[in-house]
Amino acid sequence: MASGPLSVKEFLDKTKLVSYGFFGLLILFLILFFSAPFLLVSKADPKKSDALILEAIETGKRDKFKQAAALWKKGLAPVIVILYSPTTPESDIGISSDVTNSLQAYLTSLGVDENKILVYTIQAGPQEFPKTLLKIALDRQWKTFLLIGKEFDSATLLRLYRGVLEPAGIYIAISKVSEGIGSGDWFLKPKSLESILGRLAKHLYLILLGN
């Protein structure tokens, strides 16, 4: 049976529902947009650990290596573990064909004892870093780690690592490396805007997956 035409009241009611839904989604988007820096930056403070962890996905980046060396010299951990994935040849620390020696040599030039640097090559890619670190922890009976990570990657990194390590009773915190992106004006610069929104999408995707 065909339904009759909508009355003015019914039309207005439906219009209100659509408007409420649209503005509700818009408000949610704006909240997520402006709170992105707070969602992406970890609040877990660095503390003394069994090992410092460096991810060398791009072979190596000076800012992360310098921070690791500074924390090691302060005594926050006795050793530095480098998780290396040969995904790209890009590097700003002068990598040669002998990656292990190059990574160790750069940290040594920053004052780290060569015997306190361990390099693990993970051919499968950086997605296997947390599982590899779990194996290292169980093998060496380590219980605490301090990961060196970029400021706006810190919350996402912790979510990825803690999902693997915490069930085994292993704690990980993060030392944030500044990226020179302001939390109050990041959306005013196209490069910063693109970077932060991309990371926010990844972070929210991990939350939806339950990771």
Side-chain angles (χ1 to χ4, degrees):
M1 182 176 180
S3 58
L6 288 176
S7 67
V8 173
K9 182 178 183 304
E10 288 174 330
F11 175 77
L12 291 175
D13 288 342
K14 288 182 180 292
T15 302
K16 285 181 182 179
L17 287 175
V18 172
S19 299
Y20 292 155
F22 171 77
F23 285 111
L25 289 174
L26 179 61
I27 292 171
L28 178 61
F29 171 78
L30 291 174
I31 291 173
L32 288 173
F33 182 88
F34 287 107
S35 63
F38 305 101
L39 293 173
L40 296 175
V41 178
S42 165
K43 304 300 187 295
D45 295 324
K47 59 176 61 178
K48 195 165 184 178
S49 304
D50 292 318
L52 291 166
I53 307 301
L54 265 173
E55 290 189 330
I57 298 171
E58 313 94 342
T59 308
K61 292 296 181 183
R62 289 181 185 272
D63 50 0
K64 292 193 293 184
F65 276 65
K66 288 179 179 179
Q67 188 143 315
L71 294 174
W72 181 83
K73 286 188 280 189
K74 287 180 180 179
L76 263 72
V79 298
I80 296 177
V81 173
I82 301 175
L83 301 176
Y84 164 65
S85 176
T87 54
T88 73
E90 297 176 8
S91 175
D92 66 350
I93 65 174
I95 295 296
S96 66
S97 57
D98 191 337
V99 175
T100 298
N101 285 342
S102 295
L103 295 172
Q104 289 177 328
Y106 186 68
L107 280 175
T108 300
S109 73
L110 296 174
V112 181
D113 186 340
E114 184 178 351
N115 296 325
K116 302 300 182 181
I117 306 167
L118 305 174
V119 182
Y120 292 84
T121 301
I122 297 93
Q123 295 289 345
Q127 69 276 4
E128 294 297 315
F129 282 179
K131 293 179 182 178
T132 300
L133 187 58
L134 176 60
K135 293 176 184 177
I136 295 170
L138 295 176
D139 181 56
R140 295 178 176 269
Q141 296 186 332
W142 286 341
K143 291 295 184 182
T144 54
F145 292 109
L146 179 55
L147 175 67
I148 313 299
K150 293 180 180 179
E151 184 177 12
F152 290 97
D153 287 334
S154 57
T156 303
L157 285 171
L158 275 187
R159 177 172 289 275
L160 288 170
Y161 277 87
R162 284 180 171 175
V164 175
L165 299 176
E166 284 192 342
I170 299 166
Y171 177 81
I172 187 166
I174 194 161
S175 177
K176 299 180 286 289
V177 178
S178 175
E179 300 181 59
I181 300 175
S183 59
D185 62 356
W186 59 271
F187 49 87
L188 299 178
K189 302 174 183 177
K191 189 174 181 180
S192 299
L193 177 64
E194 181 182 359
S195 176
I196 296 299
L197 289 182
R199 295 191 224 185
L200 178 62
K202 179 181 177 181
H203 188 73
L204 295 176
Y205 179 67
L206 289 174
I207 292 175
L208 289 174
L209 288 180
N211 292 338

